[in-house]
Amino acid sequence: GGDLLDRLAAIRRQCAADLGVFVRPIRIRDNLQLGANTYVFKLKGVEVTSGEVLPGHYLAMNPVGVETELSGIATQEPTFGLPAWWISEENKNEAELKGFTIVDCTTVLITHLTEFIKNHADELLGRQEVKEMIETVKESNPAVVEELIPELMTYGDVQKVLQNLLAERVPVRNLVTILEVLADNARLTKEFDYLTEVVRQALKRTISRMYATPDNKMTVITLHPKLEQVIADSLQQTQNGNYPVLSPDLTNKIFDRLASMVEQLTMSGLVPIVLCSSRIRMPLRRLTERFMPNLVILSLNELTPELEVDSI
């Protein structure tokens, strides 16, 4: 009697609108081996994450950060790991008066699934999906597709660039611009790091809008020029692109300083953003993604001129 199936269809439409990718139908299975209130998300048959919901209860989250508790079952909100409480219908009004955000079970699961899809959109994008997206572009812009494929790049090559963008949540809705930039630059090099960076620069209006405040401001963490040079000099080419090879001491120092700055920004309610040169942007992202997967790293070339940048 719930609305889960209808909302799953809405998720797929929303992800297509937000990210510009086709999300294949999502299969739902009832698994008696799971706990009664447990759900699991699998990707390509492998469990990636899980959560728990209590039917008949509401999840109360404290967005204000005020030190207060509710009469209910203490838990963690599954999507972002925030402290929360499962409360009954009777306690709902009390929680709302205290400023808590109240959501029902289905919304908890749907929010978690939406974030899960966005976090793994690069893995969901296969060659078949890329081909379908390009065929759609070909109907209205045949010239750019015919120039690029198959003479300069294959579907697999385009897929790698799109996956690089989606891995950092950059939408690929503007596929015509992406394909035009690839057609211009694939003659020069087939290096995917370089191609990804030039595409990101062409999408700078989209990227700037993602992270700027409504009044067109952005607060960023910058690197010392000497550190940028050390990272640039340490780059080594691997099969998966350039990777910085730094001493363990220097790596630890970078992480320690970044961690304190990220905490400072997060406590101020800001998105932690590191700003650096385009040459080291992707390698720095590879260095930090395992320990700080949500850290946003932008290059100077990805910001629009009218953006007001405040470096801390």
Side-chain angles (χ1 to χ4, degrees):
D3 59 350
L4 181 62
L5 293 177
D6 294 335
R7 292 178 71 173
L8 279 181
I11 279 187
R12 293 174 60 215
R13 286 195 298 273
Q14 182 192 334
C15 289
D18 291 351
L19 297 173
V21 294
F22 301 140
V23 179
R24 294 290 181 203
I26 297 162
R27 291 194 300 175
I28 306 174
R29 288 187 174 176
D30 199 359
N31 187 342
L32 296 177
Q33 294 174 323
L34 294 176
N37 301 320
T38 306
Y39 63 85
V40 162
F41 295 150
K42 288 185 176 183
L43 192 58
K44 298 174 184 174
V46 180
E47 181 182 330
V48 179
T49 187
S50 62
E52 196 173 30
V53 288
L54 288 187
H57 289 68
Y58 292 90
L59 190 71
M61 292 169 289
N62 187 353
V64 197
V66 181
E67 291 294 324
T68 180
E69 297 218 355
L70 286 175
S71 46
I73 303 165
T75 184
Q76 257 195 348
E77 187 271 335
T79 311
F80 303 105
L82 302 170
W85 287 264
W86 286 110
I87 58 170
S88 58
E89 181 85 48
E90 303 89 73
N91 297 329
K92 191 179 168 189
N93 288 340
E94 175 205 343
E96 283 174 340
L97 289 171
K98 287 183 176 178
F100 281 76
T101 302
I102 314 295
V103 290
D104 60 35
C105 282
T106 313
T107 305
V108 172
L109 194 152
I110 287 294
T111 305
H112 195 182
L113 182 59
T114 306
E115 282 300 304
F116 175 77
I117 291 171
K118 289 180 177 178
N119 284 337
H120 297 88
D122 56 318
E123 294 180 63
L124 295 170
L125 185 74
R127 275 176 173 70
Q128 185 61 37
E129 286 81 7
V130 171
K131 185 180 180 185
E132 289 170 16
M133 289 161 65
I134 291 174
E135 291 297 326
T136 306
V137 171
K138 195 173 182 177
E139 290 171 14
S140 54
N141 293 271
V144 64
V145 176
E146 287 162 10
E147 183 184 349
L148 181 64
I149 294 171
E151 188 185 332
L152 297 175
M153 295 181 83
T154 63
Y155 288 121
D157 294 337
V158 176
Q159 178 195 8
K160 287 187 177 71
V161 174
L162 296 182
Q163 285 177 324
N164 282 345
L165 296 170
L166 290 170
E168 297 187 64
R169 291 204 175 197
V170 176
V172 295
R173 291 188 304 265
N174 194 351
L175 198 54
V176 176
T177 300
I178 293 171
L179 297 179
E180 284 179 349
V181 172
L182 291 177
D184 290 340
N185 290 276
R187 296 181 193 281
L188 308 173
T189 179
K190 287 288 198 301
E191 193 181 297
F192 295 116
D193 281 11
Y194 174 79
L195 293 174
T196 303
E197 291 305 306
V198 291
V199 168
R200 285 178 64 102
Q201 288 161 29
L203 299 175
K204 63 183 174 185
R205 203 170 300 283
T206 301
I207 291 173
S208 295
R209 181 56 30 226
M210 282 168 66
Y211 300 111
T213 58
D215 54 355
N216 231 16
K217 291 182 180 174
M218 187 185 286
T219 304
V220 299
I221 302 164
T222 51
L223 303 189
H224 193 286
K226 282 184 182 174
L227 179 58
E228 284 216 9
Q229 191 58 50
V230 168
I231 294 173
D233 291 343
S234 75
L235 296 185
Q236 287 199 6
Q237 182 77 37
T238 69
Q239 280 186 323
N240 300 317
N242 291 319
Y243 201 95
V245 181
L246 302 169
S247 69
D249 285 350
L250 181 56
T251 306
N252 288 336
K253 272 185 189 173
I254 293 171
F255 284 145
D256 289 346
R257 291 292 292 128
L258 267 180
S260 67
M261 299 301 283
V262 165
E263 188 179 352
Q264 183 183 325
L265 277 170
T266 307
M267 295 296 282
S268 308
L270 298 166
V271 178
I273 298 170
V274 173
L275 190 63
C276 62
S277 68
S278 58
R279 187 183 172 197
I280 68 160
R281 195 204 68 79
M282 184 73 94
L284 185 62
R285 156 84 180 159
R286 290 197 179 105
L287 183 70
T288 59
E289 65 184 340
R290 178 169 292 185
F291 303 100
M292 300 176 181
N294 298 321
L295 182 64
V296 177
I297 302 180
L298 304 179
S299 81
L300 293 159
N301 300 348
E302 294 167 10
L303 305 184
T304 51
E306 62 270 18
L307 203 59
E308 192 179 320
V309 179
D310 177 27
S311 169
I312 61 162

